[in-house]
Amino acid sequence: MEKLPANSEYISTLSGFGSVSNVPKLPEGFADTFKSYRVDTGNVGLHVVMGGAGEPLLLHCGWPQSWYAWRYLMLPLSQHFTVIAVDPRGLGISDKPADGYDVDSLAHDMFDLMSKLGHEKFSMVGHDIGVMVGYAMAMISPKRITRLAIGEGTIPGASPSPEMVPEDRRMSDFLWHFAFNRALDVNERLVEGREDIYFNYQFASKSGTPDGVPKYARDFYIELLRRVPGTLTSSFNYYRAVDDTIPQVRNHLGKKITLPVFTFSGALACGPMVQYEWENLAENVTSLIIDDSGHFPAEEQPDVLLNALINFLSP
């Protein structure tokens, strides 16, 4: 019988579509190191993929992905860390409650998760949505986070919002989904049954190249959104909750983060925006802009990102 992690009364093994046992094209030997678990945090059930040994490292994906976004990095990282890749609430095969998508609630989800796994202190890597979650975590309980690496996302409420009608068409293509996803009800009706059209466009327009995220991975993410009940609505709820996230973020502003922060971004996507924002939010910031990468560096340029993360997380 497989040995469960600490606090096993809150933890059970998980299988089926979206877990380690049923996803496409994992690196060779991946399932020998990593297993899928469901963790009951007390507020929400979260799917995590765990493996490795060493200090705990939490990997937080962005929209519209799942833990699978980190697949290229996880085995090498597991040689240095106990890796915990999470499907945040509403995404992947985690629970899909109707609310709790504001940034402070999402931050508490991660703290509750790591507490149930027996980790008081840990490092975190966050992408996209994981950027604002990492910021809230560092403001709410900075002593629990050893090092914070965040990339390819900005924080609603922390910086001036981009123009509604920017002169640069590329900025419009890059950000229009914020307004669309934030709408109420109409977006589900427009996208349901057409998930392949909407989300393939998101991946193609935000990657450095149209196939920066490979087709098999895009097909998998889209199938999760299509097949798992509630996932499409939950993915939009992250943006609807911006109404609550902005005042929460503004409530955190005024005090700078002192723990070490590493920012990364794609030269063909956010470029210097992440670095500039975090230099206003934290005192100890190092940054990397990755050439030939769009919004998804963990899939577009995994080796470059991996080397940078190991150097930052294991100084």
Side-chain angles (χ1 to χ4, degrees), residues 65 69-70 72-73 127 151-153 170 174 203-214 264-274 288-306:
Q65 298 175 286
W70 304 106
Y72 296 142
L73 281 65
H127 171 252
E152 270 303 311
R170 293 171 299 178
F174 195 63
F203 284 115
S205 61
K206 292 171 175 54
S207 301
T209 59
D211 59 351
V213 177
F264 59 91
S265 59
L268 304 176
C270 282
M273 288 192 294
V274 186
L288 173 67
I289 298 175
I290 301 173
D291 292 337
D292 300 318
S293 178
H295 183 59
F296 306 98
E299 292 178 280
E300 296 182 66
Q301 295 290 342
D303 292 340
V304 176
L305 180 57
L306 173 66

Side-chain angles (χ1 to χ4, degrees), residues 251-282:
N251 188 55
H252 293 313
L253 295 175
K255 184 177 180 181
K256 281 199 169 187
I257 295 166
T258 58
L259 61 91
V261 174
F262 171 68
T263 73
F264 59 91
S265 59
L268 304 176
C270 282
M273 288 192 294
V274 186
Q275 175 184 346
Y276 291 164
E277 182 168 81
W278 278 81
E279 286 174 347
N280 292 323
L281 301 175

